[in-house]
């Protein structure tokens, strides 16, 4: 995992994406549900049909309930194929900028969208603040805007 400082052009695109998601899902200024630390099983499904190399993979992680970014980090520790990069924005939190070396790209208008597999809707919060529950399945889908 790598965390970088924001780049101006990409930052503008991410702000646009965050604004669109906020309009769909409501504002998430704090964690909606507290972290209780009870054991959970969370499945991450990564799907990229846009950029080469295309891939689809999944990883189920068992750990005490925590924020989604910790689940993603645990998946990267368990499965070396599942690698990611993140960038921190002071007003948005961590944003996943790449999975398996496939980066979000403003020129191609792509970004990594996080979707609740039960509702097929984007998550209300980002990876820094979303708290998955037991048996949640989170889709990480390379998407265009």
């Amino acid at each position: 995992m790598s965390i970088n400082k924001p780049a101006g052009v990409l930052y503008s695109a991410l702000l646009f994406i965050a604004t669109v998601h906020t309009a769909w899902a409501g504002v998430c200024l704090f964690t909606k549900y507290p972290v209780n630390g009870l054991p959970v099983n969370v499945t991450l499904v990564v799907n990229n049909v846009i950029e080469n190399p295309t891939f689809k993979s999944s990883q189920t992680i068992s750990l005490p309930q925590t924020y989604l970014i910790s689940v993603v980090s645990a998946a990267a520790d368990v499965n070396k194929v599942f690698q990611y990069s993140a960038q921190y924005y002071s007003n948005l939190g961590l944003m996943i900028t790449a999975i398996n070396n496939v980066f979000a790209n403003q020129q191609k208008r792509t970004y990594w969208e996080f979707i609740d597999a039960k509702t097929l809707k984007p998550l209300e919060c980002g990876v820094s603040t979303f708290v998955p529950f037991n048996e949640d399945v989170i889709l990480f889908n390379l998407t265009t805007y």
Side-chain angles (χ1 to χ4, degrees), residues 49-85:
V49 296
I50 297 174
E51 293 287 326
N52 285 323
T54 60
F55 52 84
K56 182 172 185 174
S57 64
S58 66
Q59 180 70 49
T60 299
I61 300 296
S62 300
L63 72 172
Q65 187 183 47
T66 186
Y67 298 101
L68 183 55
I69 190 65
S70 296
V71 178
V72 172
S73 292
D77 290 342
V78 170
N79 184 349
K80 296 303 177 194
V81 174
F82 185 84
Q83 297 300 305
Y84 72 98
S85 295

Side-chain angles (χ1 to χ4, degrees), residues 13-66:
L14 290 173
L15 277 177
F16 168 77
I17 293 164
T19 303
V20 170
H21 277 272
T22 300
W24 290 336
V27 177
C28 184
L29 298 177
F30 53 88
T31 302
K32 191 172 181 178
Y33 305 101
V35 175
N36 62 29
L38 296 174
V40 295
N41 294 312
V42 179
T43 300
L44 306 178
V45 178
V46 179
N47 186 41
N48 164 29
V49 296
I50 297 174
E51 293 287 326
N52 285 323
T54 60
F55 52 84
K56 182 172 185 174
S57 64
S58 66
Q59 180 70 49
T60 299
I61 300 296
S62 300
L63 72 172
Q65 187 183 47
T66 186

Side-chain angles (χ1 to χ4, degrees), residues 85-126:
S85 295
Q87 198 161 332
Y88 180 76
Y89 298 91
S90 59
N91 58 341
L92 297 174
L94 283 170
M95 302 287 284
I96 301 295
T97 56
I99 297 177
N100 296 341
N101 282 326
V102 175
F103 285 82
N105 185 306
Q106 185 178 13
Q107 288 74 29
K108 295 179 181 179
R109 302 175 61 87
T110 60
Y111 70 102
W112 284 99
E113 182 176 36
F114 316 128
I115 300 169
D116 180 331
K118 293 176 187 167
T119 64
L120 295 179
K121 293 183 180 179
L123 299 183
E124 293 180 7
C125 306

Side-chain angles (χ1 to χ4, degrees), residues 2-13:
S2 63
I3 298 177
N4 303 310
K5 293 183 180 178
V9 176
L10 181 59
Y11 180 71
S12 298

